[in-house]
Amino acid sequence: MTEISRLPGPVMELWEWQYQGSCRDEDDTLFFHPEGERGSTRRRRAEAAKAICHSCPVMLQCREQSLRVREPYGVWGGLSEDERSAILAGGARKTG
């Protein structure tokens, strides 16, 4: 008989929070900058994405996950790529 006790268990509860994300019904291009986007255009797009994040019921879970996995691209949990990099470089976690 096959030994299954060492196999990973269900993980749905680890990710179920994502179904509550305010971003689920939004265009994902709002959260990820296109190649070559710079300056005020990039800043406005990121601010619009962050506005959605700030009204999201799972913003903190999203933020913590993005910091935990060192997400390199996009706006996650109300933080841009640069903001996450700064937090990780400083060893601190922004939570509010």
Side-chain angles (χ1 to χ4, degrees):
M1 179 184 264
T2 304
E3 175 61 43
I4 63 169
S5 65
R6 293 181 19 192
L7 293 175
V11 294
M12 180 62 181
E13 60 275 0
L14 298 176
W15 303 105
E16 198 166 15
W17 61 267
Q18 292 180 346
Y19 288 110
Q20 299 171 32
S22 297
C23 61
R24 284 188 51 86
D25 295 324
E26 299 293 334
D27 184 351
D28 60 353
T29 60
L30 181 61
F31 296 89
F32 298 94
H33 67 83
E35 187 72 32
E37 182 183 57
R38 302 271 188 266
S40 63
T41 302
R42 184 171 180 171
R43 196 168 33 260
R44 281 191 304 271
R45 183 202 40 77
E47 290 303 319
K50 290 177 186 182
I52 293 167
C53 293
H54 289 293
S55 66
C56 182
V58 294
M59 181 183 78
L60 294 180
Q61 291 98 317
C62 182
R63 178 179 294 176
E64 287 300 315
Q65 174 65 18
S66 71
L67 292 168
R68 189 177 311 111
V69 302
R70 296 181 176 266
E71 180 61 56
Y73 304 109
V75 172
W76 294 86
L79 298 174
S80 69
E81 300 158 1
D82 294 338
E83 290 166 331
R84 286 192 308 279
S85 292
I87 289 169
L88 291 168
R93 295 245 168 138
K94 183 176 182 181
T95 59

